[in-house]
Amino acid sequence: MTKNIAIIGCGAIGYEIAKSIDDRNIPNCRVCVLFDTEREQLDYLESDLTNKPDAMFDRFDDFITSDIFSKIDFVVEAASIEAARRYSIKLLQEGKDMMIMSTGSFSDPTFSKEILNLIHNGGRRVYLPSGAIGGADILRAVKGYIDEVILTTTKSVNSIKGAPYFLKRGQNADSIFDKTTIFEGSAEEAIKEFPSNINVSALVSLAGIGFQDTRVRVVVDPLIETNRHEIAVKWKYGEFYIKINNRPSPSNPKTSYLAVLSAIECLRSALVNDIQIGS
Amino acid sequence: MTKNIAIIGCGAIGYEIAKSIDDRNIPNCRVCVLFDTEREQLDYLESDLTNKPDAMFDRFDDFITSDIFSKIDFVVEAASIEAARRYSIKLLQEGKDMMIMSTGSFSDPTFSKEILNLIHNGGRRVYLPSGAIGGADILRAVKGYIDEVILTTTKSVNSIKGAPYFLKRGQNADSIFDKTTIFEGSAEEAIKEFPSNINVSALVSLAGIGFQDTRVRVVVDPLIETNRHEIAVKWKYGEFYIKINNRPSPSNPKTSYLAVLSAIECLRSALVNDIQIGS
C-alpha cells in the first residue's frame, strides 16, 4: 500500500527528501502534500517533481482543515525548530506519525514531554534522524553507564560568523586567525550561543545523557574546509570516539550532505519493513 | 499488553538479557520461555530469575510443538551462528518476530535471502543489534556513496589465540611480542580466519557495503587490555572514523559489555514504542 507523505518545509533538505521519494529511492510512498510558508519554495520544488503532489499549502490551517489531510499517512518536518514546535503536536494529535528533522526542537522540555506523551499514551510514532552525525546506537546502548560525553564541533570562520556568541560579545569571527576553542559548556548553553549547531547537540543529548550533562566544545579553525564533529564518550566498561568530517550537500552549501542522507535513511526505515540493522 | 519473550540460548548474553527483562528494565514484557540445548544452563538461569518462565526446553522440536509456542510474541536469539541459522527461518515462518544477536549468521547469502523474503513478503520483523560496535546509523545513511570501509580489530594475544588463522598456518599467537597486523582482507575472508570476530565484521558489512567489499584488518597487540574496534570510512561527501575500546562484561570475560547493552537497547526499541532516535 502506497503511503501518502506530507512534507513540511521545502527548503534544501525538504527538497532533497521530496526528490528522493519522487525518484523512488524509498519504496511504496509518494509525495502527497507540500507545505511551506513561502509560495516560491513550493512552486520551485513542485516544478522539479515528476510525480506532482495532490496539493500544496502555504498556510498550516488550510492544510489541516483540507479534505486531503485525512489521506496523509506520514509527515516529514524539514522546516525549522520553530515549525517543529508549532506544528508537531497538532499533527500527532490528529493521528499522524512523523519524522522530525529539527531535533533541536526537543531542547524545550515542555515540547519534549508533550511529544513523549503522544507517543506513550497516544500510540504515535516519532522518528529523529541522526542528522550530520552518527553513533546514536552506541550512545543509546550505554546511556545508563556514561561518565562523560564531549561533543567538539570545529567550524570555519565563514560557517560560524553571525552566531549569537559573537554578537553578544561584540566580537568578530573574522579576527580569529589560529585554531581556537571559543566555547566550552553544556549542550543547553551551546545551543543558545550557536543555534546553527543545535540539531547535532540535541541529537547527542537526546541519545545520551541530556542537554545539561552533555559537554560541548566549539572550535574555530580558519583552515578547515569541512564541518567536523567529534564525540568522545567515557563509560563504565569502555570508551569510544567518533570523528566525522562532512562536506556540504551539492545543492546547498549550508547543509552537510550526511544530514540529507541520514533523513532519507530514517524515513526509509520508518516506512519500509526491512531488516533493522543497529540497535 | 505484556509481551511474551522466548530466549534461545542461555549463555552469558542470554542470561543478561533475561535478567534485564526480569529486572523490568524493558517495560511490558516477560520471559515466557527459555531454550538451550544444555539443561544446566537452563537451570542456572531459571534459578536466578525472580519471575519464573512458563516453560524451559532443551529440544527445539519440543518447544515449537508445545502449547505455549502460540503464546510467544517475540524470540531473542542469543545462542550461536549455527543456532541462528538452524532455528530463525522456522520461527519467522511460524509468525514470530525476532532479534538475532548472532549477526554473523547473515554471512551465508542463502540464509540472508530467506530471512529477507520472510521480512518483505511475510511481514515479519527482524532486528540486529549493533553488538560490540556503534555507528550502524551513519553506515546505513551513506551506504550508496561509500568508497572504502576498513574495520580494524585489535586484540590481545589471549583473546585471539586458537583462531583458525593460527591453526592453519601452524603459528602460535604467544610468539607475537610486538604490535603486529596479522591479517588484511575482505570481511568474507576475515570471518573464516577469525570466527570470534564474526559478529562485528558482519554488522559493519550488513550496515555498509557487504562482506566482499568491507576491508578487515586484524592486529595483535600484546599490551592491549581491551578489545578495540576501529571503523574508517571514506565516502563521496566526507569521511568518518569510529574507535571503540570495550571492557568485558562483569559476568563473562569473553563478551564485551557493550554487546550486552546493545542487545538490551535493541530489544527495548523493538518492543516499546518510544521516540526513535537515530536513523
Side-chain angles (χ1 to χ4, degrees):
Chain A
M1 198 197 67
T2 301
K3 286 188 173 135
N4 288 317
I5 313 295
I7 294 180
I8 304 283
C10 301
I13 293 190
Y15 177 95
E16 298 263 9
I17 293 171
K19 282 290 285 177
S20 192
I21 296 171
D22 196 45
D23 293 344
R24 309 211 178 283
N25 288 330
I26 305 170
N28 305 325
C29 68
R30 60 184 286 275
V31 179
C32 180
V33 162
L34 298 177
F35 167 73
D36 198 296
T37 51
E38 296 189 36
R39 256 292 146 189
E40 309 90 84
Q41 301 263 47
L42 291 171
D43 294 337
Y44 177 68
L45 173 49
E46 191 210 21
S47 70
D48 275 8
L49 295 178
T50 307
N51 308 286
K52 302 300 178 194
D54 295 346
M56 301 199 292
F57 298 95
D58 58 6
R59 288 164 38 103
F60 187 69
D61 285 348
D62 290 347
F63 169 41
I64 59 169
T65 55
S66 68
D67 286 345
I68 210 155
F69 186 65
S70 65
K71 280 177 61 184
I72 298 296
D73 298 301
F74 196 94
V75 179
V76 173
E77 179 281 316
S80 65
I81 288 168
E82 294 65 39
R85 288 193 182 140
R86 193 173 305 145
Y87 306 133
S88 301
I89 289 163
K90 180 69 180 166
L91 290 165
L92 293 165
Q93 282 170 341
E94 295 286 337
K96 309 303 179 192
D97 291 340
M98 289 186 78
M99 176 170 81
I100 298 178
M101 294 268 323
S102 305
T103 44
S105 55
F106 288 85
S107 66
D108 171 1
T110 311
F111 176 77
S112 229
K113 207 185 268 180
E114 285 187 77
I115 297 286
L116 284 173
N117 178 43
L118 286 159
I119 293 171
H120 295 150
N121 304 315
R124 296 273 53 81
R125 294 199 164 260
V126 174
Y127 301 82
L128 311 187
S130 294
I133 57 156
D137 51 355
I138 185 168
L139 273 165
R140 284 193 283 112
V142 307
K143 70 189 290 180
Y145 300 84
I146 285 177
D147 297 316
E148 183 181 84
V149 178
I150 301 175
L151 166 68
T152 304
T153 296
T154 306
K155 296 204 159 201
S156 67
V157 171
N158 269 337
S159 67
I160 204 161
K161 65 168 125 185
Y165 173 92
F166 295 106
L167 302 177
K168 259 194 226 173
R169 286 166 181 76
Q171 287 177 9
N172 191 338
D174 284 313
S175 63
I176 300 174
F177 297 106
D178 297 308
K179 192 173 169 180
T180 312
T181 300
I182 59 167
F183 174 86
E184 283 198 72
S186 68
E188 193 172 34
E189 292 157 349
I191 61 185
K192 288 174 195 150
E193 305 273 16
F194 306 96
S196 73
N197 209 35
I198 189 170
N199 289 334
V200 168
S201 298
L203 195 95
V204 172
S205 300
L206 292 166
I209 53 176
F211 290 89
Q212 284 175 14
D213 293 329
T214 299
R215 308 299 296 166
V216 175
R217 273 189 204 136
V218 177
V219 177
V220 177
D221 182 351
L223 298 177
I224 202 171
E225 285 172 5
T226 55
N227 273 329
R228 177 178 298 160
H229 302 290
E230 293 162 273
I231 305 165
V233 175
K234 291 196 171 81
W235 67 287
K236 200 172 174 189
Y237 296 97
E239 67 259 341
F240 59 89
Y241 168 74
I242 300 174
K243 178 175 172 175
I244 299 167
N245 283 321
N246 284 326
R247 282 197 284 281
S249 160
S251 63
N252 177 15
K254 283 193 158 182
T255 303
S256 294
Y257 199 50
L258 175 56
V260 173
L261 294 182
S262 162
I264 291 167
E265 172 59 19
C266 184
L267 185 59
R268 205 193 57 77
S269 80
L271 296 177
V272 180
N273 183 20
D274 207 339
I275 193 160
Q276 306 283 320
I277 301 171
S279 51
Chain B
M1 199 197 66
T2 302
K3 286 189 173 134
N4 289 316
I5 313 295
I7 295 180
I8 304 282
C10 301
I13 293 191
Y15 178 96
E16 298 263 9
I17 293 170
K19 283 290 285 176
S20 192
I21 296 171
D22 196 44
D23 293 345
R24 309 210 177 285
N25 289 331
I26 304 171
N28 307 325
C29 68
R30 59 184 287 274
V31 179
C32 180
V33 162
L34 297 177
F35 167 73
D36 199 294
T37 51
E38 296 190 35
R39 256 294 146 188
E40 311 91 83
Q41 301 262 47
L42 290 171
D43 294 338
Y44 177 70
L45 172 50
E46 190 209 21
S47 70
D48 276 8
L49 295 178
T50 307
N51 309 287
K52 301 299 179 195
D54 296 346
M56 301 199 293
F57 298 95
D58 58 5
R59 287 164 38 101
F60 187 69
D61 284 347
D62 291 348
F63 168 41
I64 58 169
T65 55
S66 68
D67 286 343
I68 210 156
F69 185 65
S70 66
K71 280 176 61 183
I72 298 296
D73 298 302
F74 196 94
V75 179
V76 173
E77 178 280 318
S80 64
I81 288 166
E82 294 65 39
R85 288 192 183 142
R86 193 173 305 145
Y87 305 134
S88 301
I89 288 162
K90 181 70 180 163
L91 290 165
L92 293 165
Q93 282 170 341
E94 294 287 336
K96 310 302 179 192
D97 291 340
M98 290 187 78
M99 176 170 81
I100 299 177
M101 294 267 324
S102 304
T103 44
S105 56
F106 288 86
S107 66
D108 172 0
T110 310
F111 176 78
S112 230
K113 208 186 268 180
E114 284 188 76
I115 297 287
L116 284 173
N117 177 42
L118 285 158
I119 293 171
H120 295 152
N121 304 315
R124 297 273 53 81
R125 295 201 164 258
V126 174
Y127 301 83
L128 310 188
S130 295
I133 57 155
D137 50 355
I138 184 168
L139 272 165
R140 282 193 283 113
V142 306
K143 71 190 291 179
Y145 300 84
I146 286 177
D147 297 316
E148 183 182 83
V149 178
I150 301 175
L151 166 67
T152 305
T153 295
T154 307
K155 296 205 160 200
S156 66
V157 172
N158 269 336
S159 66
I160 203 159
K161 64 168 123 183
Y165 173 91
F166 296 105
L167 302 177
K168 259 194 227 171
R169 286 166 181 75
Q171 288 177 8
N172 191 339
D174 284 313
S175 63
I176 300 175
F177 298 105
D178 298 308
K179 192 172 168 179
T180 312
T181 300
I182 60 167
F183 175 86
E184 284 197 70
S186 69
E188 193 171 35
E189 292 156 350
I191 61 185
K192 288 174 195 151
E193 305 272 17
F194 306 97
S196 73
N197 210 36
I198 189 171
N199 288 335
V200 168
S201 299
L203 195 94
V204 172
S205 300
L206 292 167
I209 52 176
F211 289 89
Q212 286 176 12
D213 293 328
T214 300
R215 308 299 295 168
V216 175
R217 273 187 204 139
V218 177
V219 177
V220 178
D221 182 351
L223 298 177
I224 202 170
E225 287 173 2
T226 55
N227 274 327
R228 178 177 299 160
H229 302 292
E230 293 162 272
I231 305 164
V233 176
K234 292 199 171 82
W235 66 288
K236 200 174 174 188
Y237 296 97
E239 66 258 342
F240 58 90
Y241 168 74
I242 300 175
K243 177 176 174 176
I244 300 168
N245 281 321
N246 284 325
R247 282 196 285 280
S249 160
S251 62
N252 177 14
K254 283 193 160 183
T255 302
S256 293
Y257 199 49
L258 175 57
V260 173
L261 294 181
S262 161
I264 292 168
E265 172 59 21
C266 183
L267 186 57
R268 205 192 59 75
S269 80
L271 296 177
V272 179
N273 183 20
D274 207 340
I275 193 161
Q276 306 283 318
I277 301 171
S279 52

